[in-house]
Amino acid sequence: MRASDSERERVAETLREAVAEGRLEMDEFEQRLEATYKARTHGELEPLVRDLPAPGVAVAPVGAAPARTGSQKRWADRIGKPATSGGAFAFWGGFGRRGNWTVGRKFTAFAMWGGGEIDLREANFEDREVVIRCFTIMGGMQVTVPPELNVEVRGIGIMGGFGERSKDDGVPSPDAPRVRITGLALMGGVGVERKRTKAERQRLRDAERDRRRELDGERERGRGRGRLEKGEQDGR
């Protein structure tokens, strides 16, 4: 299958984090990065990161069980848990579902003259296929999902809005749950936003900063070796 630009960039991010963590030498990183941007198919991309952990996955010491929390959990670990909530209601008030909770396979939320927040970034899922129904009258709801989640939005807005927007780019993961968000917004609004957690955004910023420091250090060492070799040649 042909590879997309976003898939090549995701592989490049894995390579950048690997070199920042010391898993790759600089010359090997540069070779793999060059091959990444030249790759045209999934078959060419997959071997480049086969021996590397995905970005954001905590790797346990050898012989220890891997430990993951929140958005770093594998999707397989977040599916098939007993539901802790199958719905939410707000009237002249608000409701919130966020953090480490388990959304039922059918979740119905209603808000009238009020609002609600449904955050799936650290949530577990009762089933691989989940339907979230949002109904609001002169109120509002915000549904926040991680960029890697498979989401389909099919709501209706009447004198209001029912839509999706992306704050953080991402590629839906094939092993992630499929969430269908439907419902009605009457003189109100339901917004669906793809957004990473603050901790995840900070982790990515730290990894990018460490990568740049490593590249700068490697360039400086290269310049130092060049000056040394030039001095030796001049001495001869």
Side-chain angles (χ1 to χ4, degrees):
M1 183 176 295
R2 303 283 292 186
S4 66
D5 289 340
S6 60
E7 288 167 333
R8 281 186 284 270
E9 189 57 40
R10 185 164 59 175
V11 170
E13 175 62 27
T14 300
L15 295 175
R16 294 184 188 107
E17 182 155 325
V19 73
E21 293 175 346
R23 301 181 191 278
L24 290 177
E25 296 294 335
M26 184 57 61
D27 57 347
E28 186 177 10
F29 163 72
E30 292 174 349
Q31 293 171 4
R32 293 197 190 191
L33 189 64
E34 182 179 2
T36 296
Y37 289 115
K38 290 182 178 179
R40 292 294 175 264
T41 66
H42 289 180
E44 294 173 301
L45 284 176
E46 194 274 336
L48 299 173
V49 292
R50 181 182 296 156
D51 58 344
L52 300 174
V57 175
V59 179
V62 175
R68 300 178 178 89
T69 60
S71 60
Q72 295 182 357
K73 287 184 180 178
R74 296 178 304 174
W75 285 113
D77 298 334
R78 300 171 64 175
I79 301 173
K81 299 182 180 294
T84 59
S85 181
F89 177 85
F91 179 74
W92 280 67
F95 67 81
R97 298 289 187 275
R98 62 181 73 89
N100 188 19
W101 66 292
T102 302
V103 57
R105 59 176 54 90
K106 288 187 178 181
F107 183 93
T108 303
F110 177 83
M112 182 174 181
W113 296 333
E117 178 186 2
I118 302 171
D119 193 333
L120 304 181
R121 290 176 294 179
E122 297 182 353
N124 300 311
F125 300 84
E126 184 181 19
D127 202 346
R128 184 171 294 278
E129 300 284 342
V130 170
V131 177
I132 297 179
R133 298 180 294 183
C134 300
F135 301 94
T136 180
I137 301 175
M138 299 181 68
M141 288 188 203
Q142 176 69 31
V143 183
T144 307
V145 303
E148 298 80 14
L149 192 65
N150 295 294
V151 177
E152 179 183 1
V153 180
R154 288 190 174 182
I156 299 173
I158 300 177
M159 298 181 66
F162 202 123
E164 176 184 9
R165 71 185 184 94
S166 178
K167 183 172 182 179
D168 293 311
D169 293 332
V171 178
S173 175
D175 58 342
R178 295 188 177 276
V179 179
R180 184 157 52 93
I181 301 175
T182 67
L184 172 69
L186 177 61
M187 300 178 67
V190 175
V192 181
E193 182 179 46
R194 293 183 179 273
K195 181 180 179 183
R196 302 184 190 277
T197 63
K198 290 182 179 179
E200 180 70 5
R201 293 198 299 273
Q202 184 61 48
R203 187 197 65 77
L204 293 175
R205 286 194 293 266
D206 291 344
E208 180 65 17
R209 183 187 64 243
D210 293 342
R211 180 188 69 83
R212 290 177 179 175
R213 288 177 177 175
E214 181 66 24
L215 290 175
D216 291 343
E218 184 63 24
R219 293 191 189 100
E220 185 61 32
R221 288 190 292 270
R223 286 193 290 267
R225 288 193 295 267
R227 288 193 293 267
L228 180 61
E229 292 172 356
K230 185 177 184 303
E232 292 175 349
Q233 292 173 358
D234 292 341
R236 289 196 296 269

